[in-house]
């Protein structure tokens, strides 16, 4: 399509020209006239009539979504008018850049173009230690940290689309990757928590906050402070004695606020510690019975925006109750939902879409103005950011509509990403396997634990016992389904290479441990011989193909730092499969009387498996791979 821009378009031209990389249009003098002008209201109207286009925009960032809407609908209709009213003041994704996957700058720019088309106006960069801090060379050392220049480059690029980049850092807890170094021992209370009430800590924080915010035009900063349950319980306790955690937290917050005030920054922070510390249990931010006292309100400094995070609840009334709790703290909070891309190879769209729909509906009703969607990367991030795009599109559509029409949402997803919604929903099937209740509403990650578990130890074999053949058939069918649905011409086609190859592995590996244990217990020597001579070697070959696909995907999207963690996992998996061949062969050849690992009774990994609608969950690779000691964890201080 050829387009001739008219009206007030010059300020938007750099961004519009960049969008030509994503959608099929060219700016030409003989193109369809498209007039862009500022609206007197916050509404945006996109029209096409008599062969001409018109965009009346409320805010600058609306223009880029409007360009996409015009092209999308003018290809199908000769006349149309679309009116959109933004529901939130701020909306955008939060990218977890601290769990090894640090997006390459060119890939981040690609994501920003997608965000502009969708209609987002902000993004948070969650960086625990993945940015440079002068005088602290171990901060982000060998972690793929962004340089100041790289962050400025990203901010400059986002500006073309009127997208605000906001640094989201940690100023209390979640600093394990920095505090592990000897060079930072003097700043440590526990493994991940800073030692409060000492000058050195606040001198460090001053440099850290300055470094994190300097490259960005935004004067907003998210200072974290979530999940700091260990505060005051390590070196602080030994050195200074006991002090109430709530007092420690609020005193520390005031000192951090002095730093941000000096830098003229607007501060956001996670709210969970306040709600946890006033709950009866002391550790439940979702306790509906928690009462908020007036004294509690007074402990939160003025001009600190609390951010309520919740990726779990599926009922609107739960969100309403918890937003009300936050309002009792003296303000309407910002909200952070989530698309479940973390701790699995899959993307749990069953849970993600239901929680997001309930949360966003209630955020509108309760007057929440700032909404973010988190893309966490816990335990090394085997998944990728692009697999969440269907979920991101849902958040974008909620920004412009009171209620979201499914067909329109799916059509926008296809236009903005080049992929059908069904392609993204297939990713859900990596974990939504036989034995998992319809909707996949519990945390369950079989695509991860069935891959990494040891074939001789079978820590999760009880979880699929009885449905193991159905599970194998499920993955076999899923491999075919993904392969048939792929389109080589689509730029994002490459993100389905890993799910396809993983399904191929799990079609054979998922049930091999159960087959092996049964054959061993029943002295089925021919079956054991077939496992060692044929099945395990085939699995090894398939794992190598999966590893190569995964490595290519990682290096396409992310900096190389952190891939070594996943590489080691694949290497360990292959080594253990080779060891299994050796031990079973020695047993069959009479070189040992028994295989001790296979003598052991199989127990479920999760003792309360019968109380969940899923197939169990583990947050950590090293627990999936072995029940033995991977590393010795010393006391928290």
């Amino acid at each position: 399509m050829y387009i001739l821009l008219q009206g007030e378009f010059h300020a938007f031209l750099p961004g519009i020209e960049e969008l030509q990389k994503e959608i099929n249009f060219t700016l030409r003098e003989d193109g369809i006239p498209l007039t862009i002008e500022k609206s007197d209201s916050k509404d945006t109207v996109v029209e096409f009539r008599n062969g001409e286009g018109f965009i009346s925009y409320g805010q600058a960032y609306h223009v880029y979504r409007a360009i996409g809407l015009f092209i999308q609908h003018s290809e199908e209709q000769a006349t149309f008018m679309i009116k959109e009213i933004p529901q939130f003041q701020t909306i955008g994704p939060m990218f977890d850049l601290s769990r090894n996957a640090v997006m390459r700058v060119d890939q981040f720019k690609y994501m920003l173009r997608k965000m502009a088309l969708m209609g987002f106006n902000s993004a948070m960069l969650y960086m625990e230690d993945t940015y440079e801090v002068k005088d602290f060379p171990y901060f982000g050392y060998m972690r793929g940290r962004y340089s100041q220049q790289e962050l400025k480059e990203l901010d400059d690029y986002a500006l073309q689309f009127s997208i605000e980049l906001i640094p989201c850092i940690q100023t209390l807890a979640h600093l394990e990757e920095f505090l592990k170094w000897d060079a930072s021992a003097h700043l440590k209370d526990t493994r991940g928590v800073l030692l409060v009430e000492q000058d050195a800590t606040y001198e460090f924080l001053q440099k850290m906050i300055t470094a994190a915010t300097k490259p960005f035009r935004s004067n907003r900063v998210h200072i974290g402070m979530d999940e700091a349950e260990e505060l005051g319980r390590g070196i602080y306790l030994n050195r200074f004695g006991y002090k109430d955690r709530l007092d420690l937290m609020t005193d520390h917050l005031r000192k951090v606020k002095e730093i941000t005030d000096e830098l003229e920054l607007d501060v956001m922070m996670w709210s969970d510690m306040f709600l946890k510390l006033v709950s009866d249990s002391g550790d439940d931010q979702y306790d509906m019975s928690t009462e908020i006292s007036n004294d509690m309100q007074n402990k939160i400094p003025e001009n600190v925006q609390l951010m309520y995070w919740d990726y779990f609840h599926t009922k609107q009334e739960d969100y309403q109750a918890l937003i009300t709790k936050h309002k009792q703290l003296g303000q309407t909070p910002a909200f952070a939902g989530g698309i479940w891309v973390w701790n699995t190879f899959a993307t749990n769209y069953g849970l993600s879409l239901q929680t997001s729909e309930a949360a966003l509906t209630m955020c509108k009703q309760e007057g929440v103005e700032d909404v973010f969607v988190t893309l966490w990367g816990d335990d090394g991030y085997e998944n990728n950011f692009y697999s969440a795009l269907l979920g991101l599109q849902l958040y974008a559509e909620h920004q412009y509509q009171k209620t979201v029409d499914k067909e329109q949402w799916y059509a926008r997803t296809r236009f903005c990403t080049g992929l059908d919604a069904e392609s993204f929903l297939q990713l859900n099937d990596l974990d939504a396997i036989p034995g998992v209740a319809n909707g996949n509403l519990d945390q369950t990650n079989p695509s991860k634990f069935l891959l990494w578990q040891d074939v001789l130890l079978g820590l999760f074999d009880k979880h699929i016992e009885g449905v193991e053949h159905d599970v194998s058939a499920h993955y076999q069918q899923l491999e075919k389904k993904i392969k048939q649905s792929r389109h080589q011409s689509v730029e994002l086609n490459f993100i389905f290479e890993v799910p396809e190859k993983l399904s191929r592995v799990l079609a054979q590996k998922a049930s091999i441990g159960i087959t092996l244990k049964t054959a061993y217990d029943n002295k089925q020597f021919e079956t054991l011989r077939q496992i060692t001579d044929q099945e395990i070697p085939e699995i090894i070959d398939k794992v190598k193909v999966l590893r190569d696909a995964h490595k290519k995907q990682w290096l396409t999207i992310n900096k190389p730092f952190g891939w070594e963690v996943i590489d080691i996992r694949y290497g360990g998996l292959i080594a253990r499969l080779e060891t299994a061949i050796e031990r079973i062969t020695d047993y069959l050849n009479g070189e040992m009387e028994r295989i001790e690992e296979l003598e052991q009774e199989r127990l479920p990994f999760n003792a309360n498996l019968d109380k969940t609608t899923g197939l169990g969950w583990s947050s950590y690779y090293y627990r999936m791979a072995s029940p033995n000691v991977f590393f010795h964890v010393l006391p928290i201080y």
Side-chain angles (χ1 to χ4, degrees):
M1 175 182 291
Y2 300 146
I3 290 177
L4 170 63
L5 294 177
Q6 298 182 153
E8 305 168 11
F9 69 88
H10 293 93
F12 308 106
L13 188 57
I16 293 172
E17 288 177 336
E18 284 296 297
L19 289 187
Q20 292 177 100
K21 298 175 180 177
E22 301 304 317
I23 49 180
N24 185 26
F25 76 99
T26 304
L27 300 178
R28 282 188 19 171
E29 291 293 326
D30 58 346
I32 297 172
L34 177 60
T35 301
I36 299 175
E37 60 183 17
K38 182 77 170 68
S39 171
D40 293 332
S41 69
K42 65 178 183 179
D43 304 352
T44 293
V45 178
V46 183
E47 290 187 81
F48 189 38
R49 62 178 186 269
N50 301 323
E52 293 188 42
F54 303 89
I55 292 174
S56 175
Y57 67 92
Q59 297 186 51
Y61 73 93
H62 296 162
V63 170
Y64 308 101
R65 175 180 168 92
I67 291 282
L69 285 169
F70 175 75
I71 294 170
Q72 177 187 348
H73 290 276
S74 62
E75 290 176 345
E76 303 167 353
Q77 305 172 54
T79 302
F80 62 84
M81 185 184 78
I82 301 168
K83 183 177 181 179
E84 297 191 326
I85 304 172
Q87 306 294 303
F88 306 110
Q89 181 174 299
T90 307
I91 188 162
M94 188 220 73
F95 299 103
D96 183 352
L97 305 164
S98 298
R99 288 352 192 279
N100 295 351
V102 179
M103 257 196 295
R104 287 171 29 176
V105 170
D106 63 321
Q107 291 293 307
F108 210 132
K109 290 179 179 180
Y110 175 76
M111 181 65 83
L112 286 168
R113 294 194 295 272
K114 295 296 186 190
M115 288 171 51
L117 275 178
M118 291 179 173
F120 290 114
N121 67 352
S122 67
M124 281 190 177
L125 286 71
Y126 179 74
M127 303 178 291
E128 292 174 356
D129 68 328
T130 49
Y131 56 98
E132 287 181 319
V133 179
K134 188 178 179 181
D135 300 329
F136 290 89
Y138 283 93
F139 194 85
Y141 174 61
M142 289 292 182
R143 295 259 291 137
R145 64 190 173 201
Y146 287 120
S147 67
Q148 292 279 300
Q149 181 56 41
E150 285 176 317
L151 293 176
K152 185 179 185 303
E153 183 180 347
L154 288 173
D155 194 61
D156 289 344
Y157 195 78
L159 180 67
Q160 296 179 99
F161 306 111
S162 299
I163 293 175
E164 177 189 14
L165 295 190
I166 304 168
C168 182
I169 62 174
Q170 290 290 356
T171 58
L172 181 57
H174 283 298
L175 288 168
E176 291 88 348
E177 299 311 316
F178 171 57
L179 295 178
K180 69 189 176 193
W181 300 108
D182 292 343
S184 55
H186 64 293
L187 299 171
K188 180 167 62 175
D189 178 6
T190 68
R191 282 192 303 272
V193 178
L194 289 170
L195 181 60
V196 299
E197 297 187 356
Q198 66 161 358
D199 291 342
T201 296
Y202 298 99
E203 291 168 4
F204 162 67
L205 284 172
Q206 198 278 334
K207 292 182 178 180
M208 188 179 79
I209 295 170
T210 300
T213 57
K214 185 177 179 180
F216 300 99
R217 289 172 175 82
S218 175
N219 64 348
R220 290 201 278 183
V221 61
H222 196 306
I223 60 171
M225 293 200 185
D226 60 311
E227 298 180 322
E229 287 84 359
E230 295 180 351
L231 174 63
R233 294 182 173 181
I235 290 173
Y236 181 93
L237 183 64
N238 294 339
R239 186 177 297 177
F240 303 115
Y242 173 79
K243 187 173 181 178
D244 183 78
R245 284 185 300 166
L246 181 56
D247 291 335
L248 281 175
M249 178 93 180
T250 53
D251 289 347
H252 178 69
L253 175 56
R254 289 189 186 94
K255 291 177 181 177
V256 171
K257 190 68 170 54
E258 289 175 5
I259 296 171
T260 57
D261 286 347
E262 184 180 338
L263 295 170
E264 299 181 339
L265 298 169
D266 295 329
V267 171
M268 293 181 279
M269 68 174 290
W270 306 114
S271 66
D272 59 290
M273 285 303 295
F274 289 114
L275 296 182
K276 287 176 182 177
L277 293 174
V278 296
S279 71
D280 290 338
S281 65
D283 61 1
D284 185 3
Q285 74 207 62
Y286 302 122
D287 185 349
M288 301 297 178
S289 65
T290 298
E291 296 294 333
I292 307 297
S293 66
N294 291 332
D295 180 59
M296 184 64 189
Q297 291 185 36
N298 295 329
K299 288 182 178 293
I300 302 174
E302 293 183 3
N303 301 320
V304 173
Q305 183 181 26
L306 297 180
M307 182 172 285
Y308 155 45
W309 56 269
D310 193 337
Y311 338 117
F312 304 95
H313 292 98
T314 58
K315 297 178 180 178
Q316 292 183 23
E317 55 265 32
D318 291 334
Y319 290 99
Q320 183 177 40
L322 288 161
I323 291 172
T324 299
K325 297 290 182 190
H326 283 80
K327 288 182 176 180
Q328 292 170 2
L329 288 170
Q331 59 175 270
T332 300
F335 175 76
I339 302 300
W340 283 75
V341 292
W342 58 92
N343 246 315
T344 178
F345 284 79
T347 299
N348 187 340
Y349 274 116
L351 181 59
S352 299
L353 299 181
Q354 192 161 335
T355 57
S356 297
E357 185 66 34
L360 292 169
T361 299
M362 195 49 60
C363 281
K364 294 173 188 177
Q365 180 177 311
E366 291 297 313
V368 173
E369 293 186 342
D370 300 305
V371 169
F372 293 87
V373 50
T374 60
L375 307 176
W376 296 109
D378 299 19
D379 195 43
Y381 213 175
E382 287 122 336
N383 207 334
N384 67 86
F385 296 110
Y386 296 135
S387 71
L389 285 171
L390 175 65
L392 295 190
Q393 191 75 61
L394 176 64
Y395 273 74
E397 298 315 300
H398 266 286
Q399 164 68 340
Y400 297 96
Q401 313 293 337
K402 287 188 177 180
T403 58
V404 173
D405 179 84
K406 186 176 180 180
E407 287 187 11
Q408 291 180 6
W409 162 35
Y410 280 12
R412 284 294 295 163
T413 300
R414 188 182 309 111
F415 178 79
C416 292
T417 70
L419 294 167
D420 293 331
E422 289 74 15
S423 295
F424 288 105
L425 293 173
Q426 284 179 141
L427 300 173
N428 196 58
D429 292 338
L430 285 165
D431 282 340
I433 66 176
V436 175
N438 187 40
N440 193 13
L441 297 183
D442 277 328
Q443 295 182 58
T444 189
N445 55 348
S447 66
K448 180 166 178 168
F449 63 64
L450 291 175
L451 176 67
W452 297 132
Q453 76 160 343
D454 189 278
V455 68
L456 287 175
L457 303 177
L459 296 181
F460 290 87
D461 282 350
K462 292 292 285 186
H463 292 231
I464 62 167
E465 191 176 65
V467 295
E468 64 269 21
H469 299 299
D470 294 333
V471 169
S472 294
H474 171 87
Y475 282 119
Q476 189 175 17
Q477 293 166 8
L478 183 57
E479 179 200 356
K480 293 179 182 177
K481 183 180 176 183
I482 293 173
K483 186 180 295 184
Q484 291 169 358
S485 67
R486 294 179 64 182
H487 301 284
Q488 297 298 326
S489 61
V490 176
E491 191 169 8
L492 285 172
N493 175 69
F494 77 97
I495 69 170
F496 297 99
E497 188 75 8
V498 170
E500 180 186 321
K501 298 299 187 287
L502 175 61
S503 297
R504 185 167 177 255
V505 171
L506 293 180
Q508 196 164 5
K509 184 181 184 295
S511 61
I512 190 68
I514 296 174
T515 303
L516 175 58
K517 181 74 164 69
T518 301
Y520 177 79
D521 289 344
N522 294 301
K523 300 189 182 304
Q524 296 169 341
F525 300 119
E526 287 303 315
T527 300
L528 291 175
R529 183 70 68 183
Q530 181 182 0
I531 289 172
T532 59
D533 292 352
Q534 181 177 337
E535 292 202 41
I536 295 181
E538 288 176 357
I539 293 171
I540 290 173
D541 289 341
K542 292 174 181 178
V543 168
K544 289 178 179 178
V545 172
L546 169 61
R547 171 186 170 269
D548 288 343
H550 201 168
K551 179 170 60 175
K552 184 176 181 180
Q553 175 185 281
W554 180 285
L555 296 176
T556 297
I557 301 172
N558 307 311
K559 294 187 178 187
F561 303 94
W563 168 251
E564 75 279 2
V565 171
I566 311 298
D567 223 5
I568 290 167
R569 293 178 186 181
Y570 281 115
L573 174 58
I574 291 169
R576 287 298 297 162
L577 288 167
E578 291 173 344
T579 295
I581 292 174
E582 293 171 5
R583 289 186 59 70
I584 299 167
T585 300
D586 287 348
Y587 170 72
L588 291 173
N589 292 341
E591 296 179 26
M592 58 184 187
E593 293 183 1
R594 57 181 184 159
I595 303 173
E596 291 188 64
E597 301 95 320
L598 297 179
E599 293 282 335
Q600 296 289 308
E601 178 188 3
R602 275 18 183 183
L603 301 174
F605 185 91
N606 302 117
N608 296 319
L609 186 60
D610 59 336
K611 297 179 182 178
T612 177
T613 63
L615 283 173
W617 173 268
S618 177
S619 297
Y620 303 106
Y621 154 79
Y622 71 92
R623 291 301 185 207
M624 300 173 188
S626 172
N628 291 297
V629 177
F630 257 66
F631 51 85
H632 180 56
V633 179
L634 295 170
I636 58 175
Y637 50 90

